Amino acid sequence: MKTLPTDLPGVLLIETDRRRDERGGFARWFCDSDLADALQGATIRQINHSHTVQRGSVRGMHFQHAPHAEKKIIRCLTGKIFDVVVDLRRGSPTFLAWRGFELEAGDDRALLIPEGCAHGFQALTDEVQMLYLHTAPYTPAAEGALRYDDPRVAIAWPLPPQNLSERDLQHPLLGADFSGISL
């Protein structure tokens, strides 16, 4: 496993080496000792799976507030996505910056998203399945989110966003006084 920094502090691309032979291939997708520096003492507490049927669908932008803030490791199992991270950390040099990463089934890449960042994705193909590893269990009372079309962030989705959940459509826009989340 190789971790590659991005221009958002703490957001890492994880590349996995796949061994191949005539039968197929084998890759290690998670190893706590290989990712110890990146996880900074956190352990995986929950694993989730999502299935998105239609190309263009958007899920997100979600995070959890402290003390339930979480790191996430995201991997695409089938299809292809445009994965988006928004830095919401108070005092961060990249506060309110967003970055998009294409993840595709079989590319042997994952994305590590630190606490204090919102996360969402757009399906670039039909039939997308995602695997999420979380360092904290989902806690409804700690849930936070911002809207996929918030003008303060201005995410440039590659396709016209569609098929958002009613919940995701109701997330508030960031106010002019929003100065970030504390960890």
Side-chain angles (χ1 to χ4, degrees):
M1 273 183 191
K2 200 170 22 172
T3 57
L4 306 171
T6 69
D7 61 345
L8 291 180
V11 177
L12 303 172
L13 274 171
I14 301 169
E15 291 185 346
T16 305
D17 291 326
R18 180 167 295 276
R19 294 186 180 163
R20 299 180 189 280
D21 63 21
E22 66 281 353
R23 299 167 296 166
F26 176 86
R28 179 181 305 152
W29 279 4
F30 178 80
C31 179
D32 60 353
S33 62
D34 287 351
L35 295 173
D37 289 342
L39 290 173
Q40 300 171 331
T43 57
I44 299 302
R45 304 259 183 221
Q46 185 171 311
I47 300 174
N48 296 313
H49 170 267
S50 75
H51 174 223
T52 303
V53 175
Q54 189 174 10
R55 178 179 184 260
S57 299
V58 171
R59 293 181 183 264
M61 302 294 299
H62 307 134
F63 63 93
Q64 289 198 156
H65 290 280
H68 304 285
E70 62 187 350
K71 287 179 175 61
K72 298 177 188 177
I73 298 175
I74 311 298
R75 185 178 294 272
C76 185
L77 301 177
T78 62
K80 183 177 182 179
I81 65 160
F82 182 69
D83 203 79
V84 176
V85 179
V86 179
D87 188 347
L88 299 176
R89 298 169 286 191
R90 182 175 290 145
S92 171
T94 54
F95 176 64
L96 292 185
W98 69 271
R99 296 297 179 269
F101 304 88
E102 286 191 3
L103 298 177
E104 184 172 11
D107 69 3
D108 289 318
R109 296 185 328 149
L111 189 64
L112 186 141
I113 302 164
E115 299 97 331
C117 291
H119 169 259
F121 71 89
Q122 183 174 53
L124 298 178
T125 62
D126 290 340
E127 295 300 329
V128 166
Q129 294 190 48
M130 301 291 298
L131 181 70
Y132 300 72
L133 286 70
H134 300 262
T135 60
Y138 172 65
T139 305
E143 182 177 50
L146 64 121
R147 257 203 2 227
Y148 75 100
D149 61 351
D150 193 300
R152 282 194 69 191
V153 179
I155 298 167
W157 298 101
L159 302 172
Q162 61 182 4
N163 298 326
L164 283 100
S165 70
E166 190 59 37
R167 182 183 80 155
D168 286 347
L169 288 170
Q170 299 304 315
H171 297 319
L173 295 175
L174 296 175
D177 61 340
F178 178 73
S179 61
I181 59 176
S182 299
L183 298 178

